[in-house]
Amino acid sequence: MSRSNASPGRTGRPPTTSRAQILSAARQIIDRDGWDKLTVRRIAGELGVGTTTLYHHVRDREDLLIQLLNDHVEQTVHPDLPSAPRDRIVAAATAIHDALAAWPWAAEVLTVDGFLGRLDEPALRVVESIVGGAVEHGCTPEQAVDVFRDVWYYTVGEILVRARSRRTSARVVPVDRDGFFVGGIDAVRLPHLAAIGDRWPELAARDTYPDGLAALVDGLLARAVPAAHPAP
């Protein structure tokens, strides 16, 4: 019998599992169960293959997370960066924020020491834009790293706090109490908080990241290069 007439039901080598399939399954697990539950074994179970099949594409869980992050950045971060150094820093940081806000677990992974240095060029180009913008503005390399670090901390902190607040709000059942602050506020000892009172959740929920980022960058650049702006 010729090969073309062979029965389609015959056994043979199992189909190849691609890197794209592995990353897709990993994202499904993360979205469903959280990134801390991600393991190579669970991905193999999700795909219905043996774990050894996956090791053709990933070395271990840490390598898998790095691949996920690099793939996400490559697909989502394509900022149109201005030529002015200060504006380039703001635009690059905003691109990082927008990409990670939709995938807050990635921001949490990147807070682990050593992960930033293992990112591929598409992600590092955004870091380069911030550091390079600071240097072009007049910062020393050391000061430029400080600018990136402080902008990064502000950005990641904003993403993680908001993400965790949303998760907590979804789980917590409102309790029967008077006002937002438990037990109320002493208007004599805490006058400003008392004046804000129940408006706190509304005010705290506002998206102030763009204004805060601009103010932070302006402050960092002004502090880092005082000699660049001598008094008249």
Side-chain angles (χ1 to χ4, degrees):
M1 180 184 295
S2 66
R3 185 178 297 274
S4 61
N5 294 327
S7 171
R10 69 194 183 106
T11 60
R13 296 183 63 184
T16 302
T17 302
S18 69
R19 176 178 178 271
Q21 289 175 308
I22 294 171
L23 296 183
S24 177
R27 282 191 289 268
Q28 291 176 19
I29 293 173
I30 290 172
D31 291 342
R32 185 179 65 233
D33 305 321
W35 74 277
D36 55 323
K37 303 297 184 183
L38 181 68
T39 64
V40 174
R41 184 178 297 276
R42 291 195 68 178
I43 295 175
E46 192 89 5
L47 294 173
V49 299
T51 55
T52 54
T53 302
L54 272 62
Y55 288 123
H56 293 292
H57 298 280
V58 296
R59 291 192 301 273
D60 50 30
R61 178 177 181 273
E62 183 175 297
D63 181 54
L64 176 62
L65 288 171
I66 290 293
Q67 290 195 42
L68 277 169
L69 288 169
N70 283 322
D71 184 69
H72 180 64
V73 170
E74 189 168 2
Q75 293 184 39
T76 59
V77 181
H78 305 283
D80 184 14
L81 299 178
S83 58
R86 178 265 184 197
D87 296 340
R88 196 185 319 147
I89 294 171
V90 171
T94 300
I96 294 174
H97 173 272
D98 293 348
L100 296 182
W103 229 17
W105 71 265
E108 189 167 354
V109 170
L110 286 169
T111 61
V112 178
D113 288 342
F115 267 78
L116 188 62
R118 294 183 59 186
L119 296 179
D120 285 347
E121 187 173 313
L124 293 180
R125 280 200 297 266
V126 186
V127 179
E128 166 74 16
S129 297
I130 296 176
V131 174
V135 170
E136 288 181 37
H137 188 82
C139 294
T140 66
E142 293 78 10
Q143 291 169 338
V145 171
D146 291 344
V147 169
F148 171 76
R149 181 194 60 196
D150 292 342
V151 167
W152 172 244
Y153 287 175
Y154 169 65
T155 299
V156 170
E158 200 268 352
I159 290 170
L160 294 182
V161 168
R162 287 194 178 277
R164 289 171 182 172
S165 295
R166 286 193 296 269
R167 290 199 299 267
T168 301
S169 298
R171 292 196 306 265
V172 173
V173 178
V175 296
D176 184 17
R177 65 173 186 245
D178 295 329
F180 171 73
F181 293 101
V182 179
I185 291 290
D186 188 322
V188 175
R189 291 185 293 179
L190 305 170
H192 296 94
L193 292 182
I196 295 171
D198 292 346
R199 296 181 60 218
W200 186 280
E202 170 196 347
L203 298 177
R206 294 175 302 161
D207 181 11
T208 60
Y209 176 79
D211 291 339
L213 173 64
L216 175 62
V217 170
D218 289 340
L220 290 171
L221 294 178
R223 184 186 65 182
V225 289
H229 305 284

